[in-house]
Amino acid sequence: LIKNINSKYKYSLLVIPDLLFNKLESKNLNQFLKIEIEEDMRLNIDDKWKSIEDYKNALKTKYRKKIINIQTKSSNIKINKLKIDDFNIYTDSINDLYNQIIVNSKFNGPIFNINTLKCMMKKNIIDLYGYFLNNKLIAFSSEIHNNSNLYSYYVGFNKILNKKYSIYGKILLETISNAIKTNKKQIIYGRTANEFKSNFGAKAYKSYVYIKIQNKLTYKLYDFYLKKLQTHIWKERSPFK
């Protein structure tokens, strides 16, 4: 992939996530700026959990009550696994729900083309779920199943309704339930809402990106500026007994 980019495209700046960078066969570290970014949030799935009830029982009373409250508030929300035809119907809604989350992100790259999800669905790479209230789509979630890992990166929800119905909490619980049912070892949630996810037992793992800049002057400017950036400080929870 990197060789193709270098040979076919002109670019001023190239950002490579650590997962991909670590797989490069040859890399000159002097050509890259290594920048720490928000932590990757991951939840380890206990082998003893056979259902979402087992997961709940593993939580301390305080956090178990929070989960029960989320389930109560979101009880009227129906979840359907979306097919390609469904995606075609709800494309605009999915795009709007996704943008409601991204708009407040501290860092954004190019605008995400939501039709990428459709391409991934066609290739059976990703499962997409719709969350409906009174037959209206108010949220979506996605899951990529890869060996023993479940990746949950792309989600979107109505931020106004979320306060009343705990939509995002329901999404996280549904992902945990699906991971247990499919015998996954770990859920990889990504880098948003870190403190909220830690209430569910997710742990933080340091993450980095590697930036290659063609122009030497620009490289020096970025080197000076980016190294002064600091990641968000938040309080990690310990919800398990």
Side-chain angles (χ1 to χ4, degrees), residues 54-199:
D54 293 332
Y55 161 78
K56 285 165 58 179
N57 290 332
L59 297 170
K60 298 174 183 175
T61 302
K62 171 184 174 181
Y63 294 94
R64 187 164 60 252
K65 287 181 178 179
K66 288 183 178 181
I67 298 301
I68 293 172
N69 184 50
I70 289 171
Q71 291 178 317
T72 301
K73 291 172 69 174
S74 64
S75 60
N76 290 329
I77 297 175
K78 307 300 180 185
I79 306 172
N80 293 328
K81 186 174 180 179
L82 301 180
K83 300 178 181 178
I84 295 295
D85 289 343
D86 298 319
F87 186 93
N88 292 335
I89 294 171
Y90 295 110
T91 300
D92 291 341
S93 296
I94 291 172
N95 192 56
D96 175 65
L97 293 168
Y98 181 77
N99 287 336
Q100 286 190 45
I101 308 306
I102 293 301
V103 70
N104 291 324
S105 296
K106 293 181 179 179
F107 173 80
N108 282 318
I111 297 173
F112 180 67
N113 183 353
I114 208 73
N115 284 306
T116 303
L117 298 178
K118 181 179 178 180
C119 296
M120 296 170 75
M121 290 172 70
K122 286 182 177 180
K123 295 179 180 293
N124 295 318
I125 294 172
I126 197 168
D127 293 328
L128 214 62
Y129 296 89
Y131 292 68
F132 294 86
L133 183 65
N134 299 325
N135 296 319
K136 181 179 180 181
L137 184 71
I138 60 169
F140 77 91
S141 67
S142 65
E143 296 177 0
I144 298 174
H145 294 255
N146 181 37
N147 298 323
S148 61
N149 293 328
L150 189 161
Y151 292 83
S152 177
Y153 279 167
Y154 303 99
V155 302
F157 53 86
N158 185 307
K159 296 196 72 173
I160 296 176
L161 293 177
N162 182 55
K163 296 178 181 179
K164 181 177 180 180
Y165 294 101
S166 296
I167 304 170
Y168 189 46
K170 187 176 184 70
I171 290 174
L172 295 182
L173 287 176
E174 185 68 13
T175 305
I176 294 171
S177 179
N178 288 343
I180 294 172
K181 290 176 183 176
T182 54
N183 299 314
K184 294 294 183 287
K185 299 295 184 184
Q186 190 177 63
I187 301 174
I188 301 175
Y189 279 120
R191 302 176 179 88
T192 59
N194 296 12
E195 189 165 333
F196 185 72
K197 288 173 182 172
S198 74
N199 285 291

Side-chain angles (χ1 to χ4, degrees), residues 17-23 151 153 208:
D18 48 11
L19 181 66
L20 177 58
F21 189 83
N22 294 335
K23 293 180 180 294
Y151 292 83
Y153 279 167
Y208 302 89

